[in-house]
Amino acid sequence: MDRQHGPSTVGHDLRETRERISNGRDSGQLSKREARALRREAAQISTLADRYARDGLSDPERRELEMRAQVLRDLTAAQRLRTKAP
């Protein structure tokens, strides 16, 4: 089990993603609704990481968390970069 690598990596990714969400909201690249939905997903991933870490993180759990964090990161980037219709 890779207890230290998984949660700390996911935690770092989530902190960076939350910062990008905040920056996107502040710059107007994300609407309040979009930012709220992205933050909610980040919170769900964080809660799941905490639950998995209680009894040690298995490789499949670590991969799931990393995948979910990557999807959230990609979704955040896509929403920030899309062209808003006038």
Side-chain angles (χ1 to χ4, degrees):
M1 292 194 210
D2 195 3
R3 188 179 171 111
Q4 295 216 349
H5 172 60
S8 64
T9 300
V10 170
H12 175 76
D13 289 348
L14 290 176
R15 281 188 299 279
E16 283 187 352
T17 300
R18 284 183 177 118
E19 182 69 25
R20 289 185 179 124
I21 293 167
S22 292
N23 291 341
R25 180 65 187 119
D26 292 344
S27 70
Q29 293 173 318
L30 293 173
S31 70
K32 185 176 183 178
R33 182 178 181 183
E34 291 167 331
R36 184 173 40 237
L38 292 167
R39 286 184 186 116
R40 188 177 310 122
E41 179 61 25
Q44 290 173 350
I45 296 168
S46 182
T47 299
L48 188 60
D50 290 344
R51 187 177 334 139
Y52 284 169
R54 282 186 204 140
D55 61 352
L57 196 63
S58 68
D59 286 339
E61 290 169 337
R62 180 185 48 77
R63 282 191 300 273
E64 177 188 356
L65 292 170
E66 289 173 352
M67 181 185 64
R68 289 183 67 166
Q70 177 67 46
V71 168
L72 178 60
R73 202 168 37 250
D74 292 348
L75 183 59
T76 300
Q79 286 185 352
R80 286 185 65 187
L81 294 175
R82 78 181 186 310
T83 303
K84 292 192 176 197

